[in-house]
Amino acid sequence: MAVCPILPASAGLPAVWTHATARRIPMAPSVRASRLYSVHTAQFHCRLRYYSHKSPRIPSSSRLHLRTFASDVSKASNSEGAKAAHKIESETDSAARAAKSPNEPHSQKPQVTSVTSTTSTDSDLDWEEKPNFHIEKFTELPYQNFGVNQHMIIDREFKEVLRQLLWRFRAPIRYAFAYGSGVFPQSRGGTATEAEIKAVHPRAPLAVQRAQDGSPKMIDFIFGVSYTQHWHSLNLMQHRDHYSMLGSLGSAAVSYVQDKWGAGVYFNPYVTVDGILIKYGVVNIDTLCRDLSEWDTLYLAGRLHKPVKILRDDPRVRLANQINLLSALRTALLLLPPTFTEQELYATIAGISYLGDPRMAFPTENPKKVANIVNHNMLNFRRLYAPLIESLPNVIYDDPVTSKPDWITNTDTVLKIQQDMDPVKRGNMVRRLPKAFRSKLYFEYQKKFQIPQLEFDKMMEESKDEDATSFKRQQGGGFEQRIAQDDPEALRNTIRDVIKKTINWPSTTQSLKGILTSGIRRSLRYMGEKIAKYRESSKPEKEGEKSS
């Protein structure tokens, strides 16, 4: 094998090649003509091609010109990428401002179209019929302020700190959100000492300390990217220390593990950026949109059922997530009785993603997690779902408080909600569940109702309207109405079973993948912290029992 030694910067290129040629090991001409060795180190890049015994001499001026040209292209590319990212962040802020408008509760009521249907119960939601997932601009969304309910209002300085963390990654991030207890506290914080804060965040800005309310926690992110391998290739060059030993195998191996195993997410936990401890997951935009619109794994869709802080928005993801949120609302309505409180509604929605999570079966997750999420984030849940409740025709707020102009921000009272139990309307909700999830539910009821396969296929073919050129509405037929009329408890159990089957395998494999992607040391640290949280959550109950 040819040897390319590290030479001083003053050494010329011909001297390196002459040395390499002198040490050449004999090999077949075809191999000499095609084989390329690339040695990458932090100090140099050396590429040797065995085309001839003598290598052409490249004038130093030409080499300088080539390097300058490549640098100019890189700078131009970075500049264009930065402009695009700034534009996205500006449009994201515009959506957040629109979400805070006085008309917030009615922000998701589309304009009434001239074409109406006498049989439709969701006639205002025509955009659901043929969602265009090829859009590239926010102006191409179904109507003005579409999906602004997804944007939560948090402290401005805290938001800027989170957004600046995105700029520490040279690899292009197309969509990003921060989530979890590090952004939306799930308990009342105390007063953390400086040592306790530094144990988590070595140099935490005051905005982070205030936002985390005296309980410092790692901040979780999800990055949506266009090209998985390309993104990891760039990120490995900049942040090799973020990766486990898997990173030494290169971006191809990393992207393969991300896309082929688990739910399609690659997590790098316990990473310190600008003195802040973070965990970030990388997902392909196509994988994200598919899960949001079809619920094939519910791994990321479940995270977005709860309030998150979107830092960089994307029109395609906003469209898919609005479908996801409506699907979560409809699923919860199928699980709930005719009348209920908004707290019960939000707890049902937040609990969807935990039904099949294997972590809930072990002492690694706070059993009160769902209650803590809802109780400490009522305003954010209301901002997320109140506009959608107002947009649906079969559910209404049954509370006089909603007549007041500031009822969205007034969380002193828990509102009452009422839904229409008409089988036709509930059958329509069944028909409008996400495609992959709905197929599993149909399969369960095909077995329960003992419908022959040929008859079932014919029935499904008659009601099929998934084709983009179809103008049929997603109306529930006799089969969907029969599902909706099933015994309420039996219906709830069947839907919960389907949720568990949807979530269990992707979540299990994703957790196992974490050992490989995070490394053993960080995985043990993560597990230890989860067990500690579980034990801490049971302390107040034990103390109460002792006092009694």
Side-chain angles (χ1 to χ4, degrees):
M1 178 183 294
V3 177
C4 182
I6 302 175
L7 296 181
S10 59
L13 180 62
V16 176
W17 282 22
T18 302
H19 180 76
T21 306
R23 298 284 299 275
R24 186 173 67 242
I25 296 174
M27 58 178 67
S30 60
V31 176
R32 288 200 305 271
S34 62
R35 194 162 184 181
L36 171 66
Y37 288 86
S38 298
V39 181
H40 299 283
T41 67
Q43 292 86 5
F44 71 98
H45 297 275
C46 177
R47 295 195 173 188
L48 307 179
R49 289 186 184 268
Y50 298 108
Y51 290 115
S52 63
H53 292 286
K54 290 185 178 181
S55 301
R57 183 185 295 271
I58 302 176
S60 59
S61 61
S62 300
R63 292 199 302 275
L64 179 61
H65 175 71
L66 288 172
R67 284 197 298 270
T68 305
F69 177 77
S71 177
D72 289 344
V73 171
S74 177
K75 287 179 180 178
S77 177
N78 289 338
S79 176
E80 291 174 4
K83 288 180 180 177
H86 279 300
K87 183 179 179 182
I88 290 173
E89 290 179 357
S90 176
E91 290 174 323
T92 302
D93 290 339
S94 297
R97 286 192 295 270
K100 202 177 179 181
S101 70
N103 195 38
E104 182 179 359
H106 308 288
S107 66
Q108 297 312 298
K109 278 194 172 182
Q111 297 177 356
V112 179
T113 58
S114 58
V115 179
T116 59
S117 172
T118 58
T119 60
S120 173
T121 58
D122 284 357
S123 59
D124 286 341
L125 300 177
D126 291 337
W127 61 269
E128 282 191 274
E129 299 306 312
K130 300 180 292 293
N132 179 14
F133 291 115
H134 301 289
I135 59 175
E136 297 179 354
K137 299 177 181 178
F138 289 99
T139 54
E140 296 175 331
L141 287 167
Y143 50 85
Q144 187 179 14
N145 290 338
F146 178 89
V148 297
N149 57 300
Q150 300 172 23
H151 288 266
M152 299 296 104
I153 311 300
I154 65 172
D155 178 74
R156 183 176 175 275
E157 291 183 12
F158 184 43
K159 179 199 71 176
E160 291 304 323
V161 169
L162 297 178
R163 185 168 281 169
Q164 283 303 312
L165 294 176
L166 305 183
W167 288 96
R168 297 297 179 260
F169 294 84
R170 293 174 194 158
I173 299 170
R174 185 168 156 188
Y175 178 83
F177 66 85
Y179 67 100
S181 58
V183 183
F184 301 97
Q186 299 171 10
S187 61
R188 299 294 179 189
T191 303
T193 64
E194 186 176 350
E196 289 174 334
I197 295 173
K198 286 189 174 181
V200 179
H201 304 299
R203 297 188 311 279
L206 287 176
V208 174
Q209 297 180 38
R210 287 195 300 266
Q212 296 195 335
D213 196 21
S215 181
K217 290 181 175 66
M218 179 169 64
I219 300 176
D220 298 341
F221 293 86
I222 291 292
F223 298 160
V225 304
S226 299
Y227 305 101
T228 306
Q229 184 172 348
H230 176 248
W231 197 92
H232 284 296
S233 176
L234 296 174
N235 201 46
L236 278 165
M237 286 192 286
Q238 183 189 8
H239 299 300
R240 174 61 186 87
D241 58 313
H242 290 186
Y243 292 79
S244 65
M245 288 296 294
L246 184 63
S248 61
L249 299 179
S251 59
V254 171
S255 60
Y256 180 87
V257 170
Q258 173 183 322
D259 294 331
K260 302 298 182 183
W261 296 4
V265 190
Y266 191 102
F267 283 105
N268 282 329
Y270 299 107
V271 170
T272 301
V273 179
D274 285 354
I276 303 170
L277 187 69
I278 70 169
K279 175 181 76 175
Y280 63 92
V282 183
V283 63
N284 187 280
I285 284 285
D286 294 335
T287 302
L288 175 60
C289 289
R290 184 173 60 252
D291 192 35
L292 292 174
S293 59
E294 298 184 13
W295 283 16
D296 56 347
T297 69
L298 263 171
Y299 190 82
L300 291 172
R303 278 164 171 74
L304 283 160
H305 289 167
K306 299 173 278 291
V308 303
K309 180 53 189 175
I310 299 172
L311 301 169
R312 282 187 194 168
D313 204 355
D314 178 86
R316 186 177 160 207
V317 179
R318 191 192 292 185
L319 176 62
N321 193 32
Q322 200 72 346
I323 294 174
N324 174 47
L325 295 173
L326 276 168
S327 299
L329 179 56
R330 289 182 175 123
T331 301
L333 291 174
L334 290 170
L335 292 169
L336 289 166
T339 58
F340 49 90
T341 66
E342 62 172 343
Q343 193 169 24
E344 292 172 328
L345 172 65
Y346 303 150
T348 303
I349 292 173
I352 289 175
S353 60
Y354 293 107
L355 276 177
D357 194 332
R359 295 174 301 175
M360 300 302 290
F362 299 97
T364 55
E365 198 66 75
N366 186 346
K368 302 174 185 175
K369 190 176 183 70
V370 172
N372 290 340
I373 291 172
V374 174
N375 293 340
H376 294 92
N377 289 280
M378 282 292 290
L379 175 59
N380 290 322
F381 269 101
R382 191 180 285 179
R383 280 201 160 117
L384 189 60
Y385 287 103
L388 299 181
I389 293 172
E390 291 284 349
S391 71
L392 290 178
N394 60 320
V395 57
I396 58 170
Y397 283 103
D398 187 19
D399 202 304
V401 174
T402 56
S403 61
K404 298 180 180 179
D406 64 340
W407 68 272
I408 281 280
T409 56
N410 181 11
T411 58
D412 292 337
T413 59
V414 178
L415 304 178
K416 297 177 182 178
I417 304 175
Q418 184 175 348
Q419 64 167 319
D420 191 340
M421 301 300 284
D422 176 57
V424 174
K425 294 181 178 180
R426 287 174 70 80
N428 291 341
M429 288 202 300
V430 172
R431 183 66 186 88
R432 292 189 169 210
L433 293 175
K435 182 179 177 181
F437 182 82
R438 188 179 69 232
S439 297
K440 296 171 186 174
L441 182 65
Y442 283 177
F443 179 73
E444 293 296 323
Y445 272 99
Q446 180 199 358
K447 292 191 299 181
K448 182 173 182 176
F449 296 154
Q450 297 181 346
I451 302 174
Q453 188 64 45
L454 290 176
E455 181 183 342
F456 180 77
D457 292 342
K458 182 180 179 181
M459 183 171 55
M460 289 296 100
E461 187 64 30
E462 290 175 354
S463 64
K464 184 178 180 182
D465 58 10
E466 299 297 337
D467 184 64
T469 61
S470 173
F471 288 92
K472 296 179 183 178
R473 295 194 56 80
Q474 292 182 351
Q475 295 294 312
F479 181 61
E480 288 82 6
Q481 292 173 24
R482 191 177 174 188
I483 292 174
Q485 287 178 296
D486 193 15
D487 177 70
E489 189 61 32
L491 177 61
R492 283 192 286 269
N493 290 336
T494 304
I495 291 177
R496 287 193 182 104
D497 287 342
V498 173
I499 293 172
K500 290 176 183 178
K501 290 177 180 178
T502 301
I503 295 173
N504 188 267
W505 178 247
S507 294
T508 301
T509 52
Q510 185 70 40
S511 298
L512 295 174
K513 184 173 78 173
I515 300 174
L516 180 63
T517 59
S518 303
I520 296 176
R521 182 177 59 83
R522 287 190 288 186
S523 296
L524 290 174
R525 179 182 177 183
Y526 179 79
M527 188 68 70
E529 290 183 358
K530 286 291 184 181
I531 292 174
K533 286 181 181 179
Y534 176 85
R535 291 175 176 171
E536 185 179 351
S537 66
S538 61
K539 282 182 180 179
E541 186 176 320
K542 291 181 179 179
E543 289 173 1
E545 290 174 358
K546 288 180 181 179
S547 62
S548 62

